[in-house]
Every structure is written in structure tokens, then in C-alpha cells.
Amino acid sequence: MIKNNQTLFTQFLLLGLPIPAEHHQLFFTLFLSMYLTTILGNLIIILLIRLDSHLHTPMYLFLSNLSFSDLCFSSVTMPKLLQNMQSQDTSITYAGCLTQMYFFVLFGGLEIFLLVVMAYDRYVATCLPLHYTSIMSLKLCVFLVLLSWVISMLYSMLHTLLLARLSFCEDNMICHFFCDMSVLFKLACSDIYINELMIFILGGPLTLIPFLFIVVSYVQIIFSILKASSTRAIYKVFSTCGSHLTVVSLFYGTIIGLYLCPSDNNFTAKETSIAIMYTVVTPMLNPFIYSLRNRDIKEALIKVLIKKIPL
């Protein structure tokens, strides 16, 4: 359709991953296996927390929401990637692109806020153990989870609406495997000043402030651990906090590498690999990190398996 001598596209072409044609089937099998592992692993975590009454605590309430977020975060991009790897048609409609970007930002933001809430939970449990029950009440926990959802939805909706006002012309090829906001900005032929301003004003603080909060929480936790005289207490703190700290490192490490140190050109193979890390690999690894390093999760899994297997 033509308007004001500009070609306005109703669809985009996702160029996908820079994989040689002869290796497409191999990578399709690999990514399909990783995606199915992500779905299964996070569903198991959610079901175990639901079924075992011993896991009905604030920490596992937050963990179940994180697992749900990981499951959805991966599902925003992976099905389309797998479809495009098996199809000659790699197009995505304009509305589909905006929808994908909305849910991508939503669940990415939700992951950040849930990691902050979990850090606060571990801080209270370690540094204020006698007041843990009174501070981390069910009312507060539900409020923190709902607040994380609301802020993420509002932030995602803001960027989606701002992106919807842009015009795209001349080039409709997205050098990525999903509709990433930064790549879409490069295709826009209208002014993106407001979009970039909102990312600077809101996106930076909403990413960096939670990260700083997590760092401060763990500094306090480390000082508290150093004061502990019991080796058993130190081990227990490390076993519960170590999993969360590993997930934080994986998630924030890839985000910092991709968005705070971007290249000037279109997405390179290195940046695409980093994007695969936080959209596919991290959501897949999280269930293993929390289950392998968490005795409560392993015990809950054993209980469920014993009940299902007749003696």
C-alpha cells in the first residue's frame, strides 16, 4: 500500500539464524529438544510446588511464577523460530510482530521483577530470620507478584503503543529470529526519538535498579553468612541462595552483553547467539539449577514418583 510516497509494509520477513542450509535439520532438532525440555522442566517445577504442601512458602510461590514466566518467555519466540526453520515462508504480519514484541517485553520484564522479589525474600530469610514469617506474609507475597505483573504489562504496553505509531518503509527484513524492539527501530522511517527517550527514562532504571537491589541484597546476605558460626547454617544459606544467584548471573549477563554493549550494525552472529542464550538456554536451565541445588524440590519429586510407582 502506498502513502505519502512511502511503502508501508503489512508484514515483515524474519531472516532467522545464520545457519548453513545443510545444518538446518540438525539445529531444528536441537532447538526443538531444548524447547520441549524448557516446557517440561518448568511445568514439573510448577506442579511439584502445587502438589506438595511443604512447598507452599513465599520462596516457592515466587519460584512457581518464575517458572511460568520462563515457560511463556521461551514460547514467545521458539514456536515461530521452529516453524520458520521448516518453512520457506518466514514472514510475520505487522500485528503478529507487535504481539510478539509485547509478550517478549512483558515476560522479560516480569523475569527481572521476580528475580528482585526472590532476592528480597532470601535477604529477609537470611538477615532477619526471626521476623521472616511476619514480614513475608501471604498478603505481601501476593502483592509483590501482582505488582510485578502490573508493572511489566504497563511497561510492555507503553512500548507496543509507541512502536505502533511508527512507519516502516524501504526494508521489511528483520535480521533476527524474532521481532526485537532494537531491530525494529532500525527499520523505521519515522522519528524514533520518543521511543528511545522512553527506553532511556524507564527501560534503563527498570533494568539497572533491580540489578543493584539484587547486588545489595546479596552483599548483606554474604555479610550475614560470614557472621554465622554454624557450618550447617552456612551450607543451608548457600544451597538456597546459590541457585537464585546463578539464575541472576545467567539472565543479567546475557542482557548486559546484548543490550548495553550493542554493535553499530545489524545483529551479528555473536549477538544472535547471546539472544538464544537468554530466550532459550536460560529458561531451559532454570528448572535444573533450582532442582539440582534444592533439597526440597528433590524430595517433593521423589514423593510424587513414589506415589505414582506401585510397590
Side-chain angles (χ1 to χ4, degrees):
M1 122 181 110
I2 307 296
K3 185 178 181 180
N4 297 332
N5 294 326
Q6 293 179 338
T7 304
L8 304 181
F9 294 101
T10 58
Q11 66 178 18
F12 296 99
L13 296 178
L14 293 169
L15 298 186
L17 302 173
I19 300 173
E22 61 271 20
H23 296 152
H24 263 219
Q25 194 58 43
L26 173 64
F27 277 90
F28 172 81
T29 304
L30 174 63
F31 288 136
L32 178 60
S33 302
M34 293 171 70
Y35 179 57
L36 293 177
T37 302
T38 301
I39 298 296
L40 181 61
N42 284 289
L43 280 178
I44 288 175
I45 294 290
I46 294 171
L47 289 175
L48 287 177
I49 294 173
R50 175 73 177 176
L51 294 174
D52 194 328
S53 59
H54 294 95
L55 300 181
H56 294 174
T57 62
M59 182 176 76
Y60 294 109
L61 169 65
F62 302 141
L63 178 57
S64 63
N65 277 271
L66 182 67
S67 294
F68 180 75
S69 177
D70 281 334
L71 189 155
C72 295
F73 189 52
S74 186
S75 297
V76 170
T77 57
M78 284 305 294
K80 184 62 179 176
L81 171 62
L82 293 170
Q83 177 191 338
N84 289 349
M85 292 182 74
Q86 292 294 97
S87 172
Q88 298 296 323
D89 181 17
T90 62
S91 64
I92 183 171
T93 64
Y94 176 75
C97 194
L98 287 182
T99 302
Q100 187 183 60
M101 195 210 75
Y102 170 79
F103 284 108
F104 180 81
V105 176
L106 166 62
F107 290 113
L110 181 61
E111 184 109 357
I112 290 174
F113 294 123
L114 288 175
L115 289 175
V116 174
V117 171
M118 293 175 74
Y120 177 68
D121 174 73
R122 292 301 84 204
Y123 162 76
V124 176
T126 305
C127 301
L128 304 169
L130 298 179
H131 302 284
Y132 180 79
T133 305
S134 59
I135 294 175
M136 300 304 295
S137 62
L138 178 60
K139 187 177 181 179
L140 177 63
C141 294
V142 172
F143 171 76
L144 291 175
V145 170
L146 290 177
L147 183 64
S148 300
W149 275 94
V150 170
I151 295 176
S152 301
M153 287 189 289
L154 291 176
Y155 180 71
S156 182
M157 180 60 70
L158 171 66
H159 282 296
T160 304
L161 293 176
L162 288 175
L163 192 67
R165 54 182 281 275
L166 300 180
S167 299
F168 297 91
C169 52
E170 297 180 6
D171 189 3
N172 70 333
M173 292 185 293
I174 298 177
C175 298
H176 211 339
F177 62 92
F178 67 94
C179 294
D180 185 72
M181 195 187 311
S182 59
V183 180
L184 290 172
F185 286 166
K186 296 176 182 179
L187 300 181
C189 55
S190 51
D191 188 14
I192 60 172
Y193 173 76
I194 298 297
N195 301 72
E196 293 180 328
L197 182 63
M198 287 298 102
I199 290 177
F200 178 77
I201 293 175
L202 297 176
L206 287 178
T207 303
L208 294 178
I209 291 177
F211 178 70
L212 292 176
F213 187 90
I214 292 172
V215 171
V216 171
S217 297
Y218 272 98
V219 168
Q220 295 291 328
I221 289 172
I222 291 172
F223 279 122
S224 178
I225 292 173
L226 294 177
K227 294 177 183 177
S229 57
S230 170
T231 305
R232 184 177 180 181
I234 294 175
Y235 174 78
K236 184 176 181 180
V237 170
F238 269 114
S239 65
T240 55
C241 296
S243 301
H244 180 251
L245 198 55
T246 303
V247 171
V248 170
S249 302
L250 277 173
F251 186 76
Y252 267 99
T254 52
I255 285 182
I256 291 171
L258 183 61
Y259 291 107
L260 297 187
C261 304
S263 67
D264 294 330
N265 302 318
N266 286 333
F267 263 49
T268 63
K270 176 185 175 182
E271 289 172 321
T272 305
S273 301
I274 296 175
I276 285 288
M277 274 295 297
Y278 75 85
T279 57
V280 183
V281 178
T282 302
M284 179 190 70
L285 291 179
N286 284 356
F288 294 99
I289 293 171
Y290 280 109
S291 60
L292 293 177
R293 297 177 62 91
N294 190 302
R295 187 179 64 183
D296 294 336
I297 292 289
K298 287 188 285 188
E299 289 179 353
L301 180 59
I302 292 172
K303 288 179 184 177
V304 171
L305 292 177
I306 291 176
K307 288 180 180 179
K308 295 296 181 183
I309 300 175
L311 297 177

